[in-house]
Amino acid sequence: MPSVQQASTDSATASEAPSHLLLAFLQSQSQNTLTRLYQRPSSCLSIFRLLGPLERQIVMNLLWLESSIPASTMATWVPHEVRKTYENSLSILSRLHILPQSAVKLALNPTFKTSLRHAIIGGGSSGSFGVPATRDEKHSSPSIEVLDAYALERWETILHYMVSSGIATRPSQGVLFLLQRSGLMASIHGGSLQITSLGFQFLLHSPHAQLWELLLQYLHMVEERQMDLVEVLSFLFMLSTMELGREYSVEHLSPTQTAMLEDLRDYGIIWQRRATSKRFCPTRLATTLTSSSPPLPAAGGVSASAHGQGFIILETNYRLYAYTDNPLQIAVLNLFVTLKSRYPNLVVGAITRESVKKALTNGITADQASRQIISYLTTHAHPQMRKNKPLLPVTVQDQIRLWELEKNRMKSQEGYLYTAFASQADYEYVLNYAKQLGVVLWESSGRRCFFGTLEGHPNIRGFIERRTAGNA
Amino acid sequence: MDNASHLGVVLDLSPKQWHLAAQPSNPHPITLVASLSHLLAFLNAHIACKDENSLALFGALPGKSVMLYSSTMPVNEEEIQPADANTYRPFKVMDSTIMKHIVSEVEALGEPEVEEPIGFVGALTKAMCYINRVTNGSTSSTSRNDDLATLPDPRILVISVSPDQSSSYIPVMNLIFSAQKLKVTIDVCKIFGGESVFLQQAAHLTGGSYIDIDRPDAILQYLMMSFLPPPGLRQLISVPTQDKIDFRAACFCHKNIVDIGFVCSVCLSIFCQPVPVCSTCRTKFPIKTLQRLNASRPNAAPGSAGTPARSSTPARTATPAISANSLPRSTSINPAAVPRVVSNGSAPATSSPMQNGEPR
């Protein structure tokens, strides 16, 4: 079947692409840390889900074997053409210390094996999937709508704050610190926080990637705050395996994890009735950490949620209609669209040369700008647009790329401009000298001036001085 | 590639066959309970691979088929034991739902004198319908359509312990055609009950794998290595395929599996003996042809009347006979050489016999 063939070529390239953000972070951790992490079934399950499909299958093939099997036996299952992909997978697993590298025998890390088995068939007594709270007589547990609204509100507060460059409602101190530390926002001249070029790129990412970027930053900070990394990671993984809409008890959490509750509440990952409450609820942001389903309920008002994620219609004449009343989405669009008019549920604008160039100067780095804008438009395209093939009008895509290239057309170089030569002969004499050195960048004999590089300046200057001294 | 995949499982729950399978006289006895615990671990592993993976489990019971579990089933909170901290909740919900349904269905069976034929085809059809529904989605909501249209690689795993019922040849072949059209892979895990001709064909024609399990006590490892990878992944890590496939068909008249069949040149119905009138399409065949075919019947078939059906020369007879056992039984069989798709220049045979509906 041609379709299957297609899938295989895709996967071959996909597996060489960088895997999940977190895996890279985990690979940099010590074996000791990882082994402690693997003691908890929920962590194993979550890490397993973050692995690529081939790695998952290799783990599953080995999971139920009591003894190790010869590496050659396993290799016979792999067709020759994709041997490289397979070896790549093995090396990822060994760097995660899940499958120790060995040319002869293959056997899973025993800790990982035991825990993943426990995760799949149940059993064990680690309590790693979270201890559910007993039913509360006074308050019923919050509905999923409440949790979604809460997560959305928190998350959009953060993003909106970034877009508005510090004018909108301020998120809590912890969030501000994290934004600053991660370089997404920076305070210029000691003033209020301003969004950086990294921050602009961040805004165009999918919510899932955004969330992990922030969490990774959080993990990087953990050691400075003298928190135990394993505790922090396993708490995140525990959250990712919890059930949406269920309340869990805080009593069994370690002190580190209790301290994390406050931070996670600020990010909208968990919900608590009061800061001192003995119970907490994971929100959708938490429960989708290791899956690819959208981590936020359809962002925006009624109109957007009816259509799921997509709300943008882009026409071949560069006009753009966005069916949204969400200030955040409008603010993000405003980064690269000239907005013309606004209706209760619709924003109309156009992608123009000026608007794209504004986005470029705003710091969406040049080499990725067009790709990011196009991918943002693609992921948020209205369902009506999905009928088109290709999804976005080719003219617009190409033009955005061209505008980007336009910016790259200019190259700047530091140097010196030499002007006001007394005579044409003087000018040509110095110019010839500079040319011999190969430092001339630009020359205009009509105006008797030329531009030389920074490196050539001492020589030229010396030459001119010697010449004027000689003439005098 | 790294997309969610859907797995439909058809579980054969024939009490008689499971009883036979558990007899200590077998070289490797296996009980239903033991197999179920392996199966549940396998299903959990499927869900563990990806949060969005979906699952539907259908049970084939004597005389009927039921849906035992599906990912979209509403969960009845009261019936599930309270959540605990040591198990992943979705696994627990799934496992207890499945077990509860199986127990209630099996208890409801009673003890009839003669066991009705197993509702295997019904279960397989339901699994196929379910896939059709989730892949095509409901037309009412557009956004839902978008989500489900991205559900690639649907597959069905058949866990069989019963031998073939030759009466189910036509429905099974129809299912295979629908599966091919929907690009559904059918995998077969044969735990007990001998080789199954129809299921071998189903697996072969849909690109799945058919595995006759030698050691039922290690069924989990078979399931994990052969049936867990979704079809897209099988390019990267291969799964066992059959080295020989039995391509025999069942005749439409007596539902016997035949080595030599006689095929109506109009509608391609298969008969075990020459008939004057096709029971499916009512075509009348010349008496001369009948006589000649009858004369050549006993063992002369491969030489005289057997080959014309597969050759490209237009046959003058209305009822060319074909011989299935003259085909080599090996993987080198070209599916086009299978009797059911042989059509002849002399008659306007445009559709396959199985799509013409049930003969009487």
Side-chain angles (χ1 to χ4, degrees):
Chain A
M1 278 185 284
S3 59
V4 174
Q5 200 56 45
Q6 187 59 42
S8 88
T9 47
D10 284 353
S11 66
T13 49
S15 53
E16 279 149 33
S19 43
H20 197 276
L21 282 172
L22 185 70
L23 292 182
F25 177 78
L26 289 176
Q27 284 177 4
S28 67
Q29 299 303 313
S30 71
Q31 178 168 11
N32 194 12
T33 311
L34 289 176
T35 306
R36 275 177 58 217
L37 189 61
Y38 294 156
Q39 283 166 359
R40 304 173 70 92
S42 61
S43 307
C44 288
L45 182 64
S46 302
I47 294 173
F48 175 73
R49 280 188 170 174
L50 295 175
L51 293 171
L54 184 59
E55 288 102 81
R56 287 201 300 259
Q57 186 59 39
I58 295 171
V59 169
M60 272 300 172
N61 280 357
L62 296 170
L63 182 62
W64 309 96
L65 298 172
E66 294 303 332
S67 53
S68 55
I69 66 164
S72 54
T73 311
M74 189 68 180
T76 52
W77 285 69
V78 182
H80 199 71
E81 313 85 75
V82 292
R83 193 54 63 85
K84 213 172 162 195
T85 321
Y86 168 72
E87 273 157 16
N88 189 29
S89 296
L90 284 188
S91 92
I92 291 177
L93 290 176
S94 85
R95 268 178 280 149
L96 287 169
H97 298 284
I98 290 175
L99 183 66
Q101 186 109 51
S102 156
V104 194
K105 295 270 182 194
L106 290 178
L108 290 179
N109 176 338
T111 321
F112 185 84
K113 182 156 86 174
T114 317
S115 297
L116 189 56
R117 280 188 186 182
H118 275 162
I120 288 179
I121 56 178
S125 54
S126 56
S128 70
F129 290 98
V131 181
T134 46
R135 198 172 282 274
D136 192 339
E137 299 304 326
K138 282 181 286 180
H139 308 283
S140 58
S141 52
S143 67
I144 291 177
E145 288 78 47
V146 171
L147 292 176
D148 278 349
Y150 173 81
L152 192 64
E153 187 258 321
R154 277 302 156 110
W155 191 247
E156 295 209 331
T157 305
I158 299 178
L159 296 185
H160 205 226
Y161 180 75
M162 290 178 67
V163 180
S164 67
S165 289
I167 300 161
T169 344
R170 285 167 76 88
S172 74
Q173 206 57 43
V175 175
L176 289 183
F177 184 66
L178 188 68
L179 288 177
Q180 215 171 341
R181 264 306 301 275
S182 51
L184 298 177
M185 293 185 91
S187 101
I188 296 165
H189 313 305
S192 65
L193 287 176
Q194 294 285 328
I195 188 162
T196 62
S197 66
L198 264 176
F200 272 102
Q201 292 181 39
F202 177 83
L203 286 175
L204 296 182
H205 288 168
S206 71
H208 190 79
Q210 289 174 343
L211 182 59
W212 270 112
E213 262 170 67
L214 274 191
L215 285 179
L216 267 183
Q217 213 56 52
Y218 186 80
L219 292 173
H220 282 302
M221 279 179 13
V222 154
E223 276 166 20
E224 288 167 36
R225 296 171 61 182
Q226 307 200 324
M227 290 158 86
D228 184 358
L229 183 65
V230 175
E231 298 267 341
V232 175
L233 273 173
S234 54
F235 188 51
L236 288 180
F237 289 139
M238 182 202 281
L239 286 172
S240 77
T241 55
M242 281 178 169
E243 197 186 4
L244 187 63
R246 184 173 291 277
E247 286 189 297
Y248 292 87
S249 158
V250 300
E251 277 161 28
H252 301 268
L253 299 179
S254 70
T256 308
Q257 293 170 342
T258 318
M260 282 174 72
L261 285 175
E262 192 195 336
D263 298 325
L264 297 180
R265 209 168 49 223
D266 288 338
Y267 307 151
I269 293 175
I270 59 170
W271 180 91
Q272 278 185 302
R273 198 175 301 280
R274 284 182 309 278
T276 52
S277 176
K278 285 274 167 246
R279 49 187 65 221
F280 66 93
C281 270
T283 67
R284 205 181 285 277
L285 283 173
T287 54
T288 54
L289 272 177
T290 55
S291 75
S292 53
S293 48
L296 288 170
V302 191
S303 57
S305 60
H307 298 294
Q309 290 282 315
F311 60 92
I312 295 175
I313 288 185
L314 180 62
E315 292 181 342
T316 45
N317 56 6
Y318 304 92
R319 279 168 75 84
L320 181 142
Y321 305 88
Y323 287 88
T324 179
D325 55 358
N326 182 314
L328 175 63
Q329 287 173 340
I330 295 172
V332 171
L333 280 178
N334 197 24
L335 293 176
F336 60 90
V337 178
T338 311
L339 297 180
K340 293 239 169 70
S341 43
R342 192 169 164 177
Y343 303 97
N345 68 338
L346 171 71
V347 188
V348 181
I351 296 186
T352 60
R353 181 161 173 270
E354 284 67 39
S355 70
V356 172
K357 289 191 83 162
K358 187 183 70 185
L360 297 176
T361 50
N362 256 333
I364 303 179
T365 44
D367 57 321
Q368 289 184 328
S370 62
R371 223 182 58 207
Q372 285 181 358
I373 293 175
I374 291 170
S375 86
Y376 182 85
L377 290 172
T378 312
T379 40
H380 293 90
H382 194 276
Q384 288 289 337
M385 292 272 289
R386 306 226 171 254
K387 291 176 190 158
N388 302 347
K389 258 193 175 39
L391 188 73
L392 299 177
V394 184
T395 46
V396 182
Q397 285 190 41
D398 285 351
Q399 190 60 63
I400 294 178
R401 286 201 196 95
L402 286 175
W403 281 328
E404 182 192 347
L405 290 177
E406 219 168 77
K407 193 182 174 237
N408 295 347
R409 218 162 43 182
M410 194 152 68
K411 200 165 69 178
S412 71
Q413 199 153 7
E414 272 184 74
Y416 286 86
L417 183 67
Y418 303 90
T419 56
F421 289 93
S423 67
Q424 186 72 22
D426 259 4
Y427 167 71
E428 275 167 16
Y429 194 65
V430 178
L431 182 64
N432 274 338
Y433 174 76
K435 273 187 179 165
Q436 279 166 16
L437 294 176
V439 294
V440 178
L441 294 170
W442 173 83
E443 56 172 277
S444 164
S445 62
R447 278 184 270 172
R448 262 187 227 166
C449 59
F450 73 91
F451 193 78
T453 60
L454 205 56
E455 300 83 59
H457 180 63
N459 284 336
I460 296 175
R461 188 185 157 148
F463 182 75
I464 296 174
E465 274 172 5
R466 264 179 320 212
R467 191 178 146 74
T468 26
N471 283 351
Chain B
M1 165 75 182
D2 195 8
N3 289 324
S5 72
H6 172 81
L7 173 68
V9 179
V10 174
L11 178 61
D12 188 340
L13 283 172
S14 160
K16 183 176 130 209
Q17 289 299 124
W18 277 109
H19 176 72
L20 291 175
Q23 290 298 313
S25 56
N26 287 335
H28 295 287
I30 175 87
T31 61
L32 175 60
V33 178
S35 318
L36 278 180
S37 65
H38 289 260
L39 180 65
L40 288 181
F42 169 72
L43 297 180
N44 286 349
H46 171 72
I47 298 295
C49 280
K50 202 137 182 64
D51 194 34
E52 299 81 32
N53 277 357
S54 56
L55 183 72
L57 177 67
F58 298 86
L61 290 143
K64 65 171 180 174
S65 60
V66 286
M67 178 189 248
L68 296 169
Y69 176 80
S70 88
S71 310
T72 49
M73 240 179 196
V75 179
N76 197 340
E77 275 295 331
E78 285 79 46
E79 292 175 14
I80 312 293
Q81 304 135 6
D84 74 272
N86 294 322
T87 43
Y88 184 43
R89 177 99 181 133
F91 292 167
K92 185 162 199 164
V93 171
M94 177 170 81
D95 295 356
S96 46
T97 314
I98 292 174
M99 285 314 283
K100 191 170 62 70
H101 282 151
I102 290 182
V103 167
S104 69
E105 289 297 337
V106 171
E107 276 175 356
L109 281 180
E111 290 181 14
E113 297 280 302
V114 182
E115 195 176 298
E116 286 181 74
I118 194 87
F120 169 73
V121 171
L124 195 54
T125 312
K126 281 181 184 170
M128 197 71 82
C129 290
Y130 186 88
I131 288 176
N132 187 42
R133 200 176 73 204
V134 294
T135 38
N136 292 338
S138 52
T139 47
S140 58
S141 127
T142 46
S143 64
R144 196 167 159 70
N145 226 342
D146 279 346
D147 300 342
L148 294 166
T150 58
L151 185 86
D153 287 357
R155 63 205 156 105
I156 293 181
L157 169 62
V158 177
I159 295 177
S160 163
V161 289
S162 306
D164 275 332
Q165 303 155 35
S166 48
S167 62
S168 64
Y169 176 68
I170 296 166
V172 168
M173 287 313 285
N174 278 333
L175 275 169
I176 295 176
F177 291 131
S178 341
Q180 283 179 321
K181 197 162 186 183
L182 285 174
K183 296 204 170 56
V184 175
T185 306
I186 299 182
D187 291 320
V188 180
C189 174
K190 190 84 183 155
I191 297 179
F192 181 76
E195 294 276 302
S196 163
V197 178
F198 303 158
L199 291 180
Q200 273 185 6
Q201 296 185 15
H204 177 79
L205 293 173
T206 57
S209 76
Y210 174 98
I211 295 179
D212 201 343
I213 291 189
D214 307 321
R215 291 281 307 269
D217 45 345
I219 175 176
L220 181 60
Q221 191 62 30
Y222 282 95
L223 289 171
M224 286 289 170
M225 291 193 87
S226 315
F227 301 118
L228 188 64
L233 190 59
R234 294 182 191 185
Q235 306 283 324
L236 296 184
I237 192 150
S238 37
V239 298
T241 45
Q242 297 133 284
D243 50 355
K244 58 169 193 181
I245 302 138
D246 193 338
F247 274 117
R248 283 179 304 164
C251 68
F252 286 26
C253 44
H254 305 92
K255 318 287 183 200
N256 294 328
I257 295 180
V258 288
D259 284 347
I260 302 173
F262 296 85
V263 179
C264 168
S265 55
V266 177
C267 70
L268 302 185
S269 301
I270 302 164
F271 302 98
C272 56
Q273 62 200 20
V275 286
V277 177
C278 171
S279 62
T280 309
C281 65
R282 305 264 165 236
T283 305
K284 292 189 180 65
F285 300 119
I287 193 79
K288 249 181 160 174
T289 315
L290 279 179
Q291 283 167 350
R292 197 166 54 75
L293 288 177
N294 269 324
S296 65
R297 241 186 105 198
N299 280 319
S304 57
T307 38
R310 286 195 290 127
S311 71
S312 56
T313 47
R316 269 167 280 114
T317 54
T319 321
I322 59 110
S323 132
N325 65 355
S326 65
L327 299 170
R329 285 202 198 161
S330 74
T331 39
S332 63
I333 286 187
N334 173 7
V338 178
R340 57 173 181 80
V341 285
V342 169
S343 68
N344 225 299
S346 66
T350 49
S351 64
S352 308
M354 292 73 198
Q355 287 161 348
N356 289 341
E358 290 257 318
R360 287 181 307 152

